[in-house]
Amino acid sequence: MQFVDEASIIVEAGNGGNGCLSFRREKYVPKGGPDGGDGGHGGCVYLIGDDALNTLVDFKFQRFYKAENGQGGMGRQMSGKAGEDLHVKVPVGTTVVDVDTLEVIADVTEIGQVVLVAEGGRRGLGNIHFKSSTNRAPRRTTPGTEGDRRNLRLEMKVMADVGLLGMPNAGKSTLIRSVSAAKPKVANYPFTTLVPNLGVVKLGMHEHFVMADVPGLIEGASDGAGLGLRFLKHLTRTRLLFHVVDVAPFDESDPVETAQAIVHELGQFSPALSERPRWLVLNKFDLLPVEEREERAQAIIDALGWEGPVFRISAISNEGTDKLVQAAYRWLTEQRRLENEDEEALAREQEMRRRMEDESVARIEERLGRRRKRPAEEADDDDFDDDDYDVEIEYAP
Ligand SMILES: Nc1nc2c(ncn2[C@@H]2O[C@H](COP(=O)(O)OP(=O)(O)OP(=O)(O)O)[C@@H](O)[C@H]2O)c(=O)[nH]1
Ligand SMILES: [Mg+2]
């Protein structure tokens, strides 16, 4: 299956049907009055959140979505039929931006959430409506109005509570495999993971949270190195980031330097996301002799000037991972409680989300600007170049 997380579509609502101009004509009924019926309303286009979808790939093949027009009114006082509404399924996690106004129309974050994206045209009135004591034979009708037409940009970002950040090979996929049922591929070469993977971390009967593993980042990602920064958008819905650092990289790179590079790239992508709480997760401790472990950990923490929470784990042998996920669960629960009880905490969270939304609209704007500056003959019919976003993947059950 292809994984596509951005798409451009056009939605067009149905036009309203015109009102009808007609007079009653019957044998033995001279001068029958006006009997032109009204048109029908145009159908609307709605988006609806669907949990069976997890990519926007369908929108690569179909870009134009049109709801039915309303029928015109008819003689004998018959109204036209209203146009059918069109419901377009989108994955939960889809943000909808009107490309022309750069307005975020909606964020579809729930299953079954319905969003109106193009309103149907109003019906026109038939001449029957314009009959009066002074005008028994009105020739007036009104036309139906046009339905809305909108250019939309869809952006799908996975819904997760905790996101994994780190260099390729840091062990992000190994970690999600060890704490959830997700089974993304693990291998000792960079960029094994090409698409986000979600895992449900279960701690008890009812206690769980969702973890997102995204492709690794390297220095220069903001200039397009590696897979670039585009997958970081899948971390923007998370509350907490685990910065996974390999304490004994086999290429002998310096874990401190690479960790700093990651933080720099994160800031380049999104200042707001870089302010989200981040925990340092030092991985692959099993590779170090027991007596060196603490010294190495402390050296990394000191060199980074790290003051936040630190966890020492071995993702491959599950050491320390329980402690890590339990702490994350407690933190997430506490955070939700705070937001329920404390208005300031809730306001801070909402402000954070608003900033990330603004940043994502700014990214869309920037890409649009870049495209529009290109000479017309080079531009294609789409404002966005999505093709480089396609990656072949298979989803774990
Ligand atoms: N010894 C040891 N090896 C590990 C540990 N965690 C991961 N590895 C190994 O490190 C290599 C990379 O692991 P992945 O989980 O694929 O790393 P990743 O961060 O997902 O890498 P990308 O998908 O390329 O970004 C694999 O060969 C893993 O077996 C660990 O705790 N100890
Ligand atoms: Mg991986």
Side-chain angles (χ1 to χ4, degrees):
M1 194 203 284
Q2 268 188 326
F3 179 83
V4 175
D5 56 13
E6 298 185 359
S8 300
I9 62 170
I10 298 168
V11 288
E12 198 176 286
N15 299 329
N18 295 331
C20 169
L21 174 70
S22 158
F23 293 94
R24 195 169 157 207
R25 295 265 178 268
E26 262 175 70
K27 241 181 177 176
Y28 314 119
V29 188
K31 294 200 182 160
D35 73 351
D38 300 336
H41 289 304
C44 301
V45 183
Y46 296 94
L47 302 185
I48 176 164
D50 189 315
D51 63 338
L53 294 177
N54 45 21
T55 150
L56 296 174
V57 67
D58 296 344
F59 298 98
K60 300 235 42 134
F61 301 106
Q62 189 183 343
R63 298 214 160 169
F64 185 63
Y65 294 84
K66 164 113 178 100
E68 220 176 35
N69 291 333
Q71 262 179 6
M74 289 156 284
R76 299 174 184 240
Q77 308 191 16
M78 284 193 291
S79 306
K81 210 168 130 253
E84 280 259 353
D85 293 336
L86 182 66
H87 286 86
V88 181
K89 290 177 184 167
V90 297
V92 175
T94 302
T95 310
V96 187
V97 178
D98 182 321
V99 175
D100 300 304
T101 61
L102 290 173
E103 176 202 358
V104 178
I105 301 179
D107 200 18
V108 180
T109 55
E110 286 177 35
I111 301 166
Q113 186 181 334
V114 175
V115 180
L116 174 67
V117 287
E119 187 158 6
R122 309 284 310 164
R123 63 182 185 163
L125 299 178
N127 65 338
I128 193 171
H129 272 269
F130 298 98
K131 187 164 80 172
S132 68
S133 54
T134 51
N135 187 358
R136 302 266 173 92
R139 303 194 64 79
R140 189 169 156 211
T141 62
T142 61
T145 63
E146 277 187 12
D148 289 342
R149 180 186 164 100
R150 274 171 142 172
N151 291 309
L152 301 181
R153 182 72 179 161
L154 306 181
E155 241 193 21
M156 195 271 289
K157 289 163 281 185
V158 301
M159 307 287 293
D161 305 298
V162 171
L164 302 182
L165 178 74
M167 294 290 284
N169 272 340
K172 302 177 293 301
S173 301
T174 307
L175 175 58
I176 204 170
R177 283 177 76 103
S178 77
V179 298
S180 78
K183 291 290 168 260
K185 185 171 163 187
V186 162
N188 65 350
Y189 53 82
F191 303 114
T192 311
T193 303
L194 295 174
V195 296
N197 295 292
L198 291 183
V200 179
V201 181
K202 292 196 175 126
L203 296 102
M205 281 280 276
H206 303 289
E207 294 92 18
H208 63 268
F209 64 87
V210 178
M211 191 183 268
D213 168 30
V214 303
L217 273 191
I218 56 173
E219 189 169 1
S222 45
D223 299 316
L227 296 176
L229 292 177
R230 62 181 179 249
F231 287 107
L232 287 182
K233 69 167 164 293
H234 293 289
L235 300 182
T236 59
R237 292 188 191 278
T238 64
R239 296 308 197 76
L240 174 64
L241 298 178
F242 288 174
H243 183 168
V244 183
V245 172
D246 179 347
V247 294
F250 66 84
D251 63 2
E252 299 194 347
S253 57
D254 177 0
V256 173
E257 272 173 30
T258 52
Q260 283 165 334
I262 294 279
V263 173
H264 174 76
E265 298 298 335
L266 184 66
Q268 292 286 305
F269 176 76
S270 160
L273 183 59
S274 72
E275 286 172 30
R276 275 284 196 215
R278 200 159 65 228
W279 292 0
L280 186 60
V281 176
L282 301 174
N283 186 31
K284 306 199 190 178
F285 263 85
D286 57 291
L287 292 178
L288 299 176
V290 178
E291 63 280 8
E292 278 178 29
R293 291 182 184 175
E294 202 35 51
E295 197 182 324
R296 176 72 66 95
Q298 206 50 53
I300 294 175
I301 294 164
D302 292 345
L304 284 173
W306 185 263
E307 286 171 354
V310 186
F311 291 82
R312 298 151 173 79
I313 67 164
S314 164
I316 216 161
S317 64
N318 262 335
E319 276 166 75
T321 53
D322 269 0
K323 202 172 147 200
L324 172 65
V325 296
Q326 274 162 18
Y329 181 74
R330 277 197 305 275
W331 186 88
L332 290 165
T333 313
E334 175 61 12
Q335 209 59 27
R336 285 194 193 107
R337 189 190 62 76
L338 267 177
E339 278 158 34
N340 281 332
E341 292 172 10
D342 176 1
E343 277 178 24
E344 262 176 51
L346 180 63
R348 272 199 303 278
E349 175 59 24
Q350 284 168 340
E351 167 66 10
M352 192 58 152
R353 291 189 198 176
R354 200 189 49 72
R355 279 177 60 196
M356 291 210 232
E357 202 164 79
D358 287 350
E359 287 175 355
S360 101
V361 171
R363 282 192 294 273
I364 290 178
E365 197 175 0
E366 194 200 342
R367 287 180 64 194
L368 262 173
R370 261 194 255 154
R371 287 297 290 233
R372 291 209 169 130
K373 275 187 218 111
R374 286 170 47 193
E377 62 269 21
E378 271 184 46
D380 56 26
D381 60 346
D382 184 11
D383 284 324
F384 291 91
D385 200 0
D386 287 328
D387 299 307
D388 56 339
Y389 279 70
D390 296 357
V391 194
E392 295 285 339
I393 54 150
E394 293 203 356
Y395 276 92

